[in-house]
Amino acid sequence: MKSSLTTKGQTTVPKEVRDFLKLKPGSNIKWFVNLFGHVEIRPTIPISALKGMLKYSGPPISIEDMDPANFGRTRAKRKVSRAK
């Protein structure tokens, strides 16, 4: 695959690459130079695309239970008694 650079620094992404990355007109992409000096192109994914990715079939979890400081504790253990 080959592509040329215009005087404005623009290029056309070859069709095979567009198809592989599922790019459509208006899609956003990011360019990276990795540690080996190779250039990588990646599509940006909107956060809304992640909705429903992880499935959970248990009971609802409260925000307090999601707090990493409370991880693994039960409600009874969370009550702190203060020393006098």
Side-chain angles (χ1 to χ4, degrees):
M1 285 175 267
K2 224 165 114 169
S3 180
S4 60
L5 195 64
T6 69
T7 57
K8 292 183 178 183
Q10 298 173 338
T11 189
T12 300
V13 179
K15 183 175 181 347
E16 293 87 358
V17 175
R18 290 192 317 263
D19 291 346
F20 179 77
L21 295 176
K22 299 177 183 159
L23 297 175
K24 306 270 188 250
S27 294
N28 291 312
I29 55 176
K30 286 187 177 183
W31 299 81
F32 298 92
V33 178
N34 67 23
L35 296 173
F36 303 105
H38 298 154
V39 177
E40 299 177 20
I41 178 176
R42 297 182 192 166
T44 58
I45 301 170
I47 195 74
S48 60
L50 302 176
K51 183 179 180 182
M53 181 182 273
L54 301 174
K55 302 295 180 196
Y56 178 72
S57 60
I61 299 174
S62 71
I63 297 296
E64 292 169 342
D65 290 338
M66 292 182 205
D67 185 353
N70 296 330
F71 186 73
R73 297 181 183 178
T74 63
R75 291 187 190 276
K77 289 181 183 177
R78 258 190 253 134
K79 294 180 181 176
V80 178
S81 60
R82 298 180 186 227
K84 293 182 181 181

